[in-house]
């Protein structure tokens, strides 16, 4: 609704309220939601850093969701995003 800083701050607060270190099930979802908001609002570097980490996090993001969800539309032409999707380790089972 035009309040970019407010949206980014609210997403950060939500992630901090349910950190991955204390909730390994829901925490990554809050981190992914923050990355999605960053992506939509043009904070590509921050979003891509989070996505790269979440692809290797249990219950984090996965390549198929990133490929298909309209949320990530703004990143699809970014070579870094394409590289994350193409990297076989990001589709491999986690240890």
């Amino acid at each position: 609704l035009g309040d970019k800083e407010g949206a980014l701050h609210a997403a950060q607060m939500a992630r901090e309220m349910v950190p991955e270190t204390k909730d390994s099930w829901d925490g990554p979802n809050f981190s992914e939601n923050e990355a999605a908001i960053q992506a939509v609002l043009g904070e590509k570097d921050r979003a891509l850093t989070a996505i790269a980490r979440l692809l290797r996090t249990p219950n984090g993001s996965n390549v198929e969701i990133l490929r298909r969800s309209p949320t990530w539309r703004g990143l699809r032409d970014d070579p870094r995003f394409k590289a994350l999707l193409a990297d076989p380790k990001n589709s491999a089972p986690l240890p």
Side-chain angles (χ1 to χ4, degrees):
L1 300 173
D3 184 7
K4 177 180 176 177
E5 293 307 315
L8 292 169
H9 182 70
Q12 178 183 346
M13 286 180 48
R15 179 185 46 78
E16 289 172 355
M17 290 174 65
V18 186
E20 295 174 37
T21 56
K22 294 192 179 187
D23 189 334
S24 62
W25 183 256
D26 286 326
N29 294 322
F30 283 91
S31 295
E32 186 171 352
N33 288 340
E34 181 181 26
I37 291 167
Q38 291 166 343
V40 168
L41 295 176
E43 298 286 330
K44 289 183 179 183
D45 292 338
R46 291 170 64 188
L48 288 164
T49 298
I51 290 168
R53 186 184 61 74
L54 287 164
L55 283 168
R56 304 302 302 155
T57 301
N59 202 41
S61 196
N62 72 64
V63 169
E64 290 308 313
I65 288 174
L66 294 172
R67 274 195 184 111
R68 299 176 196 300
S69 173
T71 301
W72 308 104
R73 184 178 316 127
L75 297 178
R76 291 217 172 97
D77 291 332
D78 190 299
R80 298 168 296 172
F81 186 74
K82 290 178 181 181
L84 287 171
L85 298 183
D87 189 337
K89 76 176 182 190
N90 290 330
S91 296
L94 295 175

